[in-house]
Amino acid sequence: MIKATQQQTKAHNRSLLLQLVYDRQQVSRAELARLTGLTRTTVSGLVAELIQDELVGEVGLGPSIGGKPPTLLQIVADSRSLLGVDLASHEFHGAVVNLRGQVQYRYSIPLKGDAEVDPLERVYELVDGLLPMCKSPILGIGIGTPGLVNSEQGIVRYSVNLDWRNLPLGANLKERYHLPVCVANDCQAAALAETTFGANKNTPNLIVVKVGRGIGSGIVLNGRLYGGYDFCGGEIGHMVISDEDVDCRCGHKGCLEAVASSQAILTRVQAAFSSSPVLSQMVHSPQEVDLQVLINAYHAGDTLILSELKRIGMYLGIAFANLVSVLNIHKIVLAGSLVVGASDGIIPSAYETMWNRSLDLLGKEMVLETSRLGNDIVVLGAAALLMQAELGLV
Ligand SMILES: [Zn+2]
């Protein structure tokens, strides 16, 4: 019993030191002792272990403050390979990432036209394609998947997009690859990416809203991802926002994602195709309008698409006003190809609606911005999950 406690303390101290080396970029052993309150002997012993594991390296001497100049330590970013997988976009997207979130290799598998193939087989195909590209010991496989996920057990409880119910995805992957596996909802992973590798590193309170085929969010409160009662926190796509008679795939009407997702705008723009001279010049039929065509047409000055983007901004603004009132969060980061590709069409109207519909003191302080992590946001979040689970880095 006592031994177990000592081991736990040692593991805790080791994670603490690793976290400090990670956060400080370069730091000396003496500085680590001062910051943690641990003895220099304890610090030296644990640092020696971290150096032996090649997670930490010595990088030269720092400035002297009287005596011998101290040796500086830093994370060896390429000492581990992390496999990140995103199952939420129109193709399965994967990457090999290092400990600083730098993408070393990308691999994607399109999903179009093979409805009869089990998506799980495609996940295996993707991981099989990524594994040989790892140039250092593999920390594990992180997965961001759409749907309701029990991330503690690695079970996808329900995913409409992938037609999975109670799929033990984590256990399946562990059995096949004999590696640690983390599974989380894609939007929760995106939020973790933003606070680990994004422009909002270590921001204690924020919401990352991902607008794709569906809409979801990851909520970070007091530096921790908020999972809710059973890991489903942040499912804002099914907040009822509109009294329009628009069916949502959840079975209800007027949900946020039914009126403001990229699928929602595509459907409306395709239906109004003939009234857009810009679109008609770019493609021949409504069926050819995909998200990229839509974004290109917007930048070419299409007024139909501008009004549709404003409409999406308005609905997002209603949702944001509600979120701000409940959580008193002052920053929302938007992710997903549509909002990143056409942010100036969406964000001004989102701001306007949010200001009009929330208490002055709450709404006026709000900052909306787009993530700079682009299409890698979920794979980076999946990698961050692994760093948290396997190395204790948050
Ligand atoms: Zn719904």
Side-chain angles (χ1 to χ4, degrees):
M1 194 67 189
I2 291 169
K3 199 174 172 197
T5 308
Q6 282 172 346
Q7 277 173 355
Q8 284 166 359
T9 308
K10 189 180 166 194
H12 170 80
N13 289 341
R14 186 183 140 110
S15 294
L16 190 66
L17 292 175
L18 190 62
Q19 180 83 58
L20 282 168
V21 177
Y22 193 86
D23 290 342
R24 299 259 157 170
Q25 309 289 335
Q26 294 194 343
V27 64
S28 69
R29 289 173 178 80
E31 183 76 348
L32 287 173
R34 192 184 62 76
L35 289 165
T36 56
L38 296 171
T39 65
R40 286 192 177 215
T41 316
T42 304
V43 169
S44 289
L46 289 170
V47 165
E49 271 187 23
L50 291 167
I51 290 175
Q52 199 182 359
D53 289 347
E54 295 178 342
L55 284 164
V56 168
E58 294 182 335
V59 283
L61 301 176
S64 164
I65 42 164
K68 215 171 72 174
T71 304
L72 295 177
L73 305 164
Q74 77 175 19
I75 285 283
V76 182
D78 291 334
S79 64
R80 297 292 187 276
S81 295
L82 299 86
L83 264 67
V85 171
D86 172 8
L87 307 181
S89 37
H90 59 283
E91 55 182 16
F92 283 178
H93 173 52
V96 178
V97 174
N98 74 6
L99 290 171
R100 287 284 181 207
Q102 289 155 337
V103 175
Q104 296 170 325
Y105 177 73
R106 289 185 182 84
Y107 181 47
S108 295
I109 295 184
L111 296 173
K112 280 180 187 166
D114 58 354
E116 71 285 355
V117 178
D118 181 353
L120 187 57
E121 292 301 322
R122 289 278 174 265
V123 177
Y124 293 154
E125 206 181 304
L126 187 64
V127 175
D128 290 345
L130 290 169
L131 282 172
M133 305 314 290
C134 296
K135 305 291 182 228
S136 56
I138 300 166
L139 195 65
I141 303 167
I143 311 265
T145 173
L148 306 179
V149 180
N150 180 328
S151 41
E152 222 166 65
Q153 296 174 2
I155 294 174
V156 182
R157 292 168 55 204
Y158 182 43
S159 172
V160 183
N161 288 353
L162 302 172
D163 197 20
W164 286 341
R165 273 178 198 272
N166 294 318
L167 177 79
L169 182 60
N172 287 349
L173 288 163
K174 262 181 216 163
E175 195 180 294
R176 188 179 162 102
Y177 297 106
H178 306 289
L179 286 168
V181 178
C182 293
V183 184
N185 168 272
D186 62 309
C187 298
Q188 295 186 355
L192 207 54
E194 190 62 32
T195 53
T196 308
F197 302 121
N200 289 290
K201 187 166 167 47
N202 298 331
T203 301
N205 296 293
L206 91 163
I207 305 175
V208 174
V209 174
K210 195 163 158 273
V211 179
R213 275 185 299 179
I215 295 180
S217 77
I219 301 172
V220 177
L221 295 177
N222 301 323
R224 291 270 164 195
L225 196 59
Y226 175 72
Y229 171 68
D230 57 0
F231 312 101
C232 300
E235 281 289 329
I236 63 166
H238 301 285
M239 287 166 70
V240 177
I241 291 295
S242 166
D243 54 10
E244 282 182 62
D245 186 20
V246 184
D247 292 329
C248 180
R249 53 191 180 154
C250 72
H252 297 141
K253 286 180 187 294
C255 296
L256 179 63
E257 73 172 43
V259 291
S261 64
S262 52
Q263 193 52 53
I265 190 173
L266 271 178
T267 305
R268 284 176 62 91
V269 168
Q270 284 167 345
F273 177 75
S274 56
S275 61
S276 161
V278 179
L279 271 180
S280 324
Q281 269 180 8
M282 296 175 88
V283 290
H284 301 297
S285 69
Q287 291 72 33
E288 290 173 74
V289 180
D290 62 14
L291 208 52
Q292 197 51 54
V293 169
L294 190 148
I295 292 169
N296 292 345
Y298 161 65
H299 289 295
D302 190 313
T303 50
L304 164 76
I305 295 176
L306 175 62
S307 70
E308 289 297 330
L309 291 171
K310 284 183 174 170
R311 186 169 178 276
I312 283 187
M314 184 261 297
Y315 282 129
L316 288 173
I318 297 174
F320 296 166
N322 290 336
L323 288 172
V324 169
S325 301
V326 175
L327 297 170
N328 186 205
I329 271 180
H330 101 287
K331 183 175 270 189
I332 293 179
V333 179
L334 293 159
S337 315
L338 178 69
V339 282
V340 173
S343 60
D344 50 356
I346 294 174
I347 287 185
S349 86
Y351 263 124
E352 193 186 333
T353 312
M354 187 176 66
W355 286 335
N356 288 338
R357 295 194 178 226
S358 49
L359 290 174
D360 267 3
L361 260 177
L362 299 177
K364 293 281 186 229
E365 297 285 313
M366 278 296 299
V367 176
L368 302 180
E369 61 183 39
T370 50
S371 174
R372 293 181 213 155
L373 296 176
N375 290 333
D376 289 324
I377 191 166
V378 175
V379 298
L380 289 173
L385 273 171
L386 280 173
M387 284 176 25
Q388 219 173 56
E390 298 303 311
L391 301 175
L393 289 172
V394 291

